[in-house]
Amino acid sequence: MARVILFHKPYGVLSQFTDKGADGSARPTLSAYIDVPGVYPAGRLDKDSEGLLVLTDDGKLQARIAHPKHKMAKTYCVQVEGRPDAFALDRLRRGVTLKDGRTKPAEVAEIDPPEPLWPRDPPVRFRKSVPDAWLRITIREGRNRQVRRMTAHVGLPCLRLIRVQVGSWALNNLTPGAWRFATDGGP
């Protein structure tokens, strides 16, 4: 039976167990939070993204979660700079053309800020003169920094990105840095 861990990756943490960066690097990794041998991340979350990261000891499951050919849904709550209009939302829903090609259509909706919303360190920049909004975006591919690039492409730079769901696994009430074993079969 595969072991599956659901981890709430905090902002600033690398999605790997060791830092292969510069010697003496003090960047936090998964090893500061998870002491379970033999599990590895199924996919990645950038250092400046936060939220649900799935880890497993099953290579086939890891590939099914992470590889774009399986089209596993990944859902994000995204705080963007500016107010989205119908045209921008429609472009995201149809797919946008980035430097590495056209994205697949996304499910997109404007939402209220997610609850609970924990503080982030450092905090998101606040500008009185520029409004912000929250979007719920579901994609079925996983290009490098894809959601950030998609929102920027339609004029809505990403301020905060939180992954809240991977397949049927959800972040729910896990607090930043906390993890639990998944009790369901998942995807």
Side-chain angles (χ1 to χ4, degrees), residues 8-144:
H8 184 153
K9 187 189 91 58
Y11 178 89
V13 174
L14 299 177
S15 293
Q16 55 200 42
F17 282 97
T18 57
D19 183 5
K20 296 180 179 140
D23 288 337
S25 170
R27 299 183 305 182
T29 65
L30 299 177
S31 61
Y33 298 91
I34 301 169
D35 187 21
V36 178
V39 296
Y40 299 94
R44 303 182 71 77
L45 263 180
D46 296 324
K47 181 178 72 125
D48 52 354
S49 298
E50 51 198 306
L52 183 61
L53 184 65
V54 178
L55 297 93
T56 183
D57 60 356
D58 182 325
K60 288 181 181 176
L61 177 60
Q62 185 180 23
R64 199 165 74 234
I65 294 167
H67 200 284
K69 76 177 181 182
H70 298 291
K71 299 179 177 74
M72 175 146 324
K74 295 167 183 77
T75 301
Y76 302 83
C77 289
V78 187
Q79 185 180 18
V80 295
E81 186 175 273
R83 288 277 180 213
D85 59 20
F87 181 68
L89 296 177
D90 186 56
R91 289 175 65 200
L92 292 170
R93 289 180 185 122
R94 287 184 288 128
V96 296
T97 302
L98 304 174
K99 287 183 182 178
D100 56 352
R102 188 156 186 84
T103 65
K104 296 197 181 322
E107 296 169 29
V108 182
E110 190 169 1
I111 61 169
D112 291 330
E115 290 290 331
L117 185 59
W118 51 94
R120 193 186 84 178
D121 184 26
V124 172
R125 73 173 183 259
F126 174 75
R127 297 184 347 191
K128 282 186 197 180
S129 61
V130 180
D132 62 60
W134 283 90
L135 303 175
R136 184 175 180 91
I137 300 177
T138 300
I139 60 172
R140 287 177 170 74
E141 54 188 338
R143 300 180 197 186
N144 185 39

